[in-house]
Structure formats: structure tokens, C-alpha cells
Amino acid sequence: MTHVRGHWRRNANGTLSWVRAHYRGAVAAGGAGGIVLLVIGLFLWGAASNSVNSSVQQSQATVTRSPLSPAHAQLVQALRAARQRSGLSLEDAGRRAGMSAQEVSDIETGLLIPAPEDITSLSNAYRIPVDEWTNLVMLQSSVQ
């Protein structure tokens, strides 16, 4: 057992709280219990990193890296042209549409296939007419 003096600790919500002096168990003392806990911790960390990697792979399903289909290329071109006609930068367009500038850029370069609600948000931000919005929604539905 190792004696630990009092100290400040940052909580999950960002506040600080005082931790009184206390004793730390076998892990700090380097006993056999510490080795067992270290092995268990490494095992759990490996399992957690595998589940994180699989969830990252699943979340990238909407990202495309292959050549764009004709419909996807038309959608990308139409969205970029609408933004340029409205005179908005990527940052301004993202702010108006409720998304980041990087998301708008990824949509306009074809890396990200926009969801129908993204098309609606961008159309409202660019103030495009209803018939052009309908065309964008039809293009988006044919991409997926």
C-alpha cells in the first residue's frame, strides 16, 4: 500500500474537487495483484480497441472513394453551383445549413453522400427554387 497525499482532481463535467489523503492499493505498490490487474487491463483495452475499429469501419459506409456515378457527379456539381451562385463560402454555407464547412466540402467533392435532410438544409441555405430542390432530391435518391 502506498500513501497518496491530498490533491485536486478534475471531474468529468470539468469541475475540480479536492481528494483527501488516502492509500492506494497493490497496483501502486507493484505487488502481484498489480500484475494481474495490468494483464486484465491490457486484455480489456485490446477488446475495446477492436470494437472501436469495427465501429469506425461501419461509420465509413457513407463515405465513397470510388469514381462517382453519373448521378452522384451531377448532384455534386449542382450543389457546388448552387452554393457559388448564392455567393456563400463553405463556412457560411455550413453555418446556415447547420453543418460544418468540412461536411459541405466533403459533399461537394463527392466523399460524402448527403442524406435527404442535408439536401433540404443546403437548399434552404442557398435559397434555391422548389423545382431545383426537387431535382436535387431525385438525384440524391438515385445515388443511394
Side-chain angles (χ1 to χ4, degrees):
M1 301 283 272
T2 302
H3 183 263
V4 179
R5 60 189 174 97
H7 57 276
W8 288 98
R9 175 170 289 156
R10 185 168 302 277
N11 299 323
N13 63 4
T15 60
L16 293 175
S17 59
W18 178 254
V19 179
R20 63 178 173 76
H22 58 278
Y23 288 94
R24 192 174 289 168
V27 175
I35 294 172
V36 171
L37 289 176
L38 178 66
V39 171
I40 292 172
L42 288 174
F43 174 76
L44 292 174
W45 179 74
S49 66
N50 287 341
S51 67
V52 168
N53 289 340
S54 65
S55 67
V56 168
Q57 291 168 353
Q58 290 172 358
S59 68
Q60 292 176 346
T62 59
V63 176
T64 176
R65 303 218 188 276
S66 60
L68 302 179
S69 68
H72 193 184
Q74 277 184 306
L75 177 63
V76 164
Q77 197 172 28
L79 286 171
R80 182 178 295 130
R83 180 181 60 81
Q84 290 172 343
R85 273 195 319 269
S86 67
L88 295 174
S89 67
L90 289 171
E91 291 81 14
D92 293 336
R95 193 174 314 113
R96 282 190 181 181
M99 53 181 63
S100 69
Q102 185 63 51
E103 285 177 297
V104 176
S105 175
D106 288 348
I107 288 171
E108 288 186 1
T109 56
L111 290 176
L112 188 65
I113 299 172
E117 54 271 5
D118 294 335
I119 298 291
T120 302
S121 297
L122 290 170
S123 299
N124 289 336
Y126 303 155
R127 295 184 174 101
I128 63 170
V130 174
D131 58 336
E132 189 176 343
W133 171 80
T134 305
N135 184 34
L136 290 173
V137 171
M138 289 173 45
L139 282 171
Q140 190 276 337
S141 65
S142 65
V143 169
Q144 298 207 350

